[in-house]
Amino acid sequence: MDINLACRRAIYLKKMLISFPIFLTLLGGWYWLEKNEPYDEVFMIPRDYKGCVNVVYEIHGVPPLEVKDHSIQYKMDHDGILLTSSPPDFGWEGKESSGLHDIDSFYIDEEGMKINEIPKTRSGPSSWENIVKTGKSFPND
């Protein structure tokens, strides 16, 4: 009986010695991912603005970009321009890449409140591809 109990304890200890490092690795990986997750981006564009928007980085004397709910907030002026003291790689995952992240765009009213979301088909890289292929910025232009 004592040998059987000793064997069960040895097996239990082996399981713990194997499980504990695996648990620590998973916990450490989760922590690293949480701390290094790139920021999402939200572009807020005045309701009546038409055209491309521009962000001009590293301008002294202007406010830095704001982060709200783990998203970088780009609030464009009535000319579609945003001046910021933040660097171009602000919120990036690493030195070479911004990483995988979501980009949302909204029209805003005069008070800066979101009115409605701009469909992804009308912004981003796919709209540039459409301009190159068709010469039009939107399919219905």
Side-chain angles (χ1 to χ4, degrees):
M1 187 81 170
D2 290 330
I3 294 174
N4 192 16
L5 181 61
C7 286
R8 286 196 311 214
R9 284 186 181 169
I11 291 171
Y12 175 76
L13 284 174
K14 284 182 184 179
K15 286 181 181 178
M16 290 302 294
L17 287 173
I18 292 170
S19 299
F20 189 67
I22 292 171
F23 172 74
L24 284 180
T25 302
L26 291 173
L27 184 64
W30 172 79
Y31 178 77
W32 184 86
L33 286 172
E34 283 294 314
K35 296 303 273 181
N36 293 304
E37 180 183 5
Y39 291 104
D40 292 331
E41 296 178 311
V42 175
F43 288 85
M44 294 171 283
I45 301 166
R47 137 176 65 207
D48 297 326
Y49 182 76
K50 303 272 188 246
C52 295
V53 296
N54 294 290
V55 180
V56 183
Y57 297 94
E58 297 179 337
I59 304 296
H60 296 287
V62 297
L65 291 171
E66 177 186 344
V67 175
K68 182 178 176 185
D69 299 326
H70 205 73
S71 295
I72 301 171
Q73 307 292 304
Y74 296 91
K75 190 171 183 181
M76 314 314 277
D77 68 10
H78 65 278
D79 294 319
I81 297 172
L82 171 64
L83 303 177
T84 179
S85 58
S86 298
D89 60 356
F90 177 79
W92 278 25
E93 176 183 57
K95 294 184 180 193
E96 301 296 322
S97 169
S98 61
L100 297 175
H101 62 282
D102 289 329
I103 301 173
D104 294 314
S105 302
F106 294 90
Y107 286 119
I108 57 172
D109 62 16
E110 294 77 21
E111 287 81 38
M113 301 299 293
K114 293 177 185 174
I115 299 172
N116 58 342
E117 186 170 5
I118 300 170
K120 293 193 186 312
T121 57
R122 296 181 74 88
S123 65
S126 61
S127 63
W128 290 112
E129 291 170 14
N130 191 46
I131 292 169
V132 170
K133 289 178 186 173
T134 65
K136 297 180 179 181
S137 57
F138 301 114
N140 296 331
D141 287 350

